[in-house]
Amino acid sequence: VVHKVSYLFNDHSQPMAEIDVDAIRKKLEASKLEQLNAAATKAADAVAVEGRGPLRGLSWPDGARFGQQGSSCEAAGLWLKENWEKVNKSPPEESGFLCDSPAEAEGGPPNRFAQLQELEKAAGEGELDCSRDSALHCAFLLVFWLHQEAISFDPNLSLGAAGQQSKGAAESHFKVMIKASNLAGQICRDARNLAFARYASEKKNFKPV
């Protein structure tokens, strides 16, 4: 899913296996001093900014985790942080149409708004609040949410009297995570579908991705 999201705003995205995690980490560390020096100004500017962009934040959220050092989870987290501001600044009309109503009859994509609403309800109140601004912003936030949930996910399978695994909250939440992953992939495919792109351009004034 990370690969699919990256294709929406990168012409030549590196496969995850080829991402230089050490280089990304050094790049992020090198920017820390600059970020600290600009912190006061940035904080003051943030107060005056009414909207914080489609990702609901101008930069990587405070307290967000990367995952165990050296793991693929950390590589995904570093990739998300490195691309956060770039994606947040991407104009919605240039970031892929996210369909808010049934449009298949007119050659458009499925209604993803309805599926997002179902997913957010299944995740629990306040647990998942996804952007509807564009396909890219929605898919990116879904991947970010999945990344954070994967870090904290702790399966708790207990054996019943008959030796059967009981289905609890952990398994139910894992199913929600799978649905989120599938939906992110479907949204990416929508954005790169030529027929859907033509519909978005002609009917919704979106630019081709």
Side-chain angles (χ1 to χ4, degrees):
V1 175
V2 171
H3 294 159
K4 291 177 181 177
V5 174
S6 70
Y7 292 156
L8 295 184
F9 63 95
N10 285 323
D11 293 332
H12 303 287
S13 178
Q14 285 181 290
M16 183 60 68
E18 297 179 8
I19 290 179
D20 191 336
V21 175
D22 290 334
I24 295 177
R25 188 184 295 113
K26 290 178 181 178
K27 181 179 178 181
L28 293 173
E29 290 176 352
S31 67
K32 284 183 180 179
L33 182 58
E34 181 181 349
Q35 292 173 355
L36 288 173
N37 292 336
T41 302
K42 187 175 181 180
D45 291 342
V47 174
V49 176
E50 293 182 2
R52 297 184 64 80
L55 297 184
R56 318 274 170 73
L58 299 177
S59 59
W60 178 260
D62 292 337
R65 295 156 295 177
F66 290 101
Q68 185 177 356
Q69 186 170 351
S71 67
S72 58
C73 197
E74 184 199 32
L78 291 170
W79 179 88
L80 285 164
K81 180 174 182 178
E82 185 181 34
N83 288 286
W84 188 282
E85 292 186 16
K86 180 180 179 180
V87 171
N88 198 42
K89 292 177 181 178
S90 179
E93 67 273 11
E94 299 178 7
S95 304
F97 176 57
L98 187 67
C99 196
D100 58 353
S101 60
E104 290 96 330
E106 298 179 329
N111 183 354
R112 299 304 183 190
F113 271 47
Q115 296 174 352
L116 280 169
Q117 187 174 5
E118 293 177 2
L119 181 65
E120 290 171 341
K121 183 177 180 181
E125 185 176 357
E127 293 297 321
L128 174 61
D129 180 20
C130 212
S131 173
R132 265 77 165 171
D133 293 80
S134 76
L136 170 60
H137 297 113
C138 180
F140 191 88
L141 275 181
L142 281 174
V143 173
F144 170 73
W145 180 79
L146 279 166
H147 175 258
Q148 296 298 297
E149 294 302 304
I151 293 173
S152 60
F153 183 68
D154 183 20
N156 183 18
L157 300 176
S158 58
L159 295 177
Q164 299 294 323
Q165 293 180 337
S166 62
K167 297 182 179 180
E171 183 174 349
S172 297
H173 187 63
F174 183 71
K175 290 182 178 179
V176 174
M177 292 167 63
I178 294 297
K179 289 181 179 179
S181 177
N182 291 337
L183 182 56
Q186 291 165 357
I187 290 172
C188 290
R189 287 192 292 273
D190 288 352
R192 297 180 64 81
N193 183 293
L194 295 179
F196 295 168
R198 183 166 55 251
Y199 170 88
S201 176
E202 295 175 354
K203 303 289 186 179
K204 302 295 181 178
N205 296 320
F206 269 66
K207 296 181 180 180
V209 176

